[in-house]
Amino acid sequence: MGVSISLILIFLQPFNTDKSTISYKNLRLAGYALAILIPILALHPLENYIYKVQKRRWYPINEILYTLLSLFVMLSVSYLYKWVAMDGMQGLSLNRWKGFMSYAGIPFIPILGPLWIYFRIRLGTIQLATSDEEDDKQIVLRGTNKYDELILEADSFVYARAQQNYVIIVFVQDDIVKEEMLRATLTIIQKQLPHAHQVHRSYLVNLKFLEGVKGNSRKREMVFTLPLEPIPISQKYFEALRNKLLDSSQKKQNRPKVYNLSTKITN
């Protein structure tokens, strides 16, 4: 976008730039590209921060306000560049800034605006949210600390393990098993994972990754489809787990099985 503005200034020479006799005029006019690029790079962290605070959502009002802010900053930086590169750092004042904005800034908005929107749509990766509903494919786990949070795909959650005042979250990302620790209780995490199942006082699991159950009434363990160590299943939660697996098996008997029930669950 900055290159486009520079080319317009060099070849069309609006605002009486054709009458300018300063040295290296075209090179200086090309420098306006930096006045466009620098604000874009400077404001990008702010955009990411807002996106994160809003639980990875970006609303139309966000896009409108961000576009107006970006245009304002780009034009203001362009005025500073003009003062440095074209005016020899003379005559910097609020009135001159206002004059620049009305004389050169506002006429360029019909050019900058469509270019900005085009490149945002063409190159942007943020999708606009059209409602307040949460994305069912994504979850945000929050601990008791203010900035303690973990964002992951719901299907990537494998299990959670309580460890003193912390909970270790095990999940899959880019085909790699990872761990993150949040300061929280297992109860707090369980409320944020409605599809997780408790199999032990210290464990919550995603049954999607269940390979089978091994052991006997004294010691049972859940085996994962991933290369992970088995985790214990307590008697208190075993009956509920078995009923859940049998019920799921009956409902999905005409579909590819998610759970491997070939491993017998013994009493």
Side-chain angles (χ1 to χ4, degrees), residues 7-265:
L7 292 176
I8 291 174
L9 293 173
I10 293 173
F11 291 103
L12 299 183
Q13 298 193 30
F15 313 118
N16 296 322
T17 53
D18 57 320
K19 299 178 181 179
S20 176
T21 58
I22 61 173
S23 59
Y24 306 106
K25 181 179 69 174
N26 289 342
L27 182 61
R28 297 188 188 205
L29 291 175
Y32 277 100
L34 294 176
I36 303 299
L37 177 62
I38 291 174
I40 292 175
L41 296 178
L43 291 173
H44 187 63
L46 173 63
E47 179 184 17
N48 283 339
Y49 173 76
I50 296 173
Y51 180 55
K52 183 178 180 180
V53 168
Q54 295 182 161
K55 302 177 182 178
R56 302 179 70 84
R57 291 177 291 179
W58 191 254
Y59 298 100
I61 187 63
N62 295 132
E63 186 66 20
I64 293 172
L65 293 176
Y66 185 75
T67 297
L68 293 176
L69 175 62
S70 299
L71 292 174
F72 175 80
V73 175
M74 284 188 284
L75 291 174
S76 296
V77 173
S78 295
Y79 168 71
L80 292 176
Y81 177 80
K82 175 181 179 296
W83 174 68
V84 173
M86 308 298 289
D87 299 339
M89 301 181 68
Q90 296 180 358
L92 181 66
S93 68
L94 180 60
N95 288 332
R96 285 180 176 268
W97 171 79
K98 292 179 179 179
F100 175 84
M101 295 295 280
S102 60
Y103 176 71
I106 294 177
F108 257 93
I109 288 180
I111 299 175
L112 281 173
L115 282 174
W116 175 260
I117 295 172
Y118 171 78
F119 285 116
R120 292 279 291 177
I121 296 174
R122 186 74 175 178
L123 304 177
T125 57
I126 294 177
Q127 297 181 348
L128 295 179
T130 56
S131 70
D132 292 332
E133 297 180 357
E134 288 280 344
D135 185 355
D136 293 336
K137 296 182 180 180
Q138 196 170 69
I139 54 178
V140 180
L141 301 179
R142 292 185 174 85
T144 55
N145 290 340
K146 184 175 181 180
Y147 299 105
D148 213 7
E149 78 172 25
L150 172 64
I151 301 173
L152 68 158
E153 299 298 317
D155 288 343
S156 69
F157 168 74
V158 181
Y159 73 85
R161 180 176 81 250
Q163 183 172 304
Q164 297 181 346
N165 296 326
Y166 295 87
V167 175
I168 297 175
I169 310 296
V170 179
F171 59 99
V172 178
Q173 188 176 74
D174 299 326
D175 297 325
I176 300 174
V177 178
K178 298 183 178 181
E179 292 185 2
E180 290 287 344
M181 181 180 291
L182 299 177
R183 185 176 181 85
T185 64
L186 199 64
T187 301
I188 291 176
I189 298 300
Q190 186 176 24
K191 291 179 180 179
Q192 302 175 67
L193 289 169
H195 302 301
H197 297 270
Q198 189 161 7
V199 296
H200 188 274
R201 66 179 183 179
S202 301
Y203 287 91
L204 296 172
V205 302
N206 183 353
L207 296 181
K208 170 187 173 181
F209 297 99
L210 170 66
E211 175 69 23
V213 176
K214 68 177 183 178
N216 51 42
S217 59
R218 292 186 177 182
K219 184 180 179 180
R220 295 187 179 92
E221 292 181 321
M222 173 177 168
V223 181
F224 293 98
T225 57
L226 301 170
L228 295 169
E229 291 294 322
I231 63 172
I233 301 175
S234 64
Q235 182 64 29
K236 177 180 178 180
Y237 300 100
F238 173 70
E239 289 299 327
L241 174 63
R242 182 172 66 171
N243 292 336
K244 173 67 178 177
L245 296 180
L246 292 176
D247 182 61
S248 297
S249 178
Q250 292 174 359
K251 289 181 179 180
K252 299 180 180 180
Q253 58 184 347
N254 295 325
R255 305 177 187 176
K257 293 184 178 180
V258 176
Y259 311 115
N260 183 355
L261 298 178
S262 60
T263 303
K264 295 183 178 179
I265 302 178

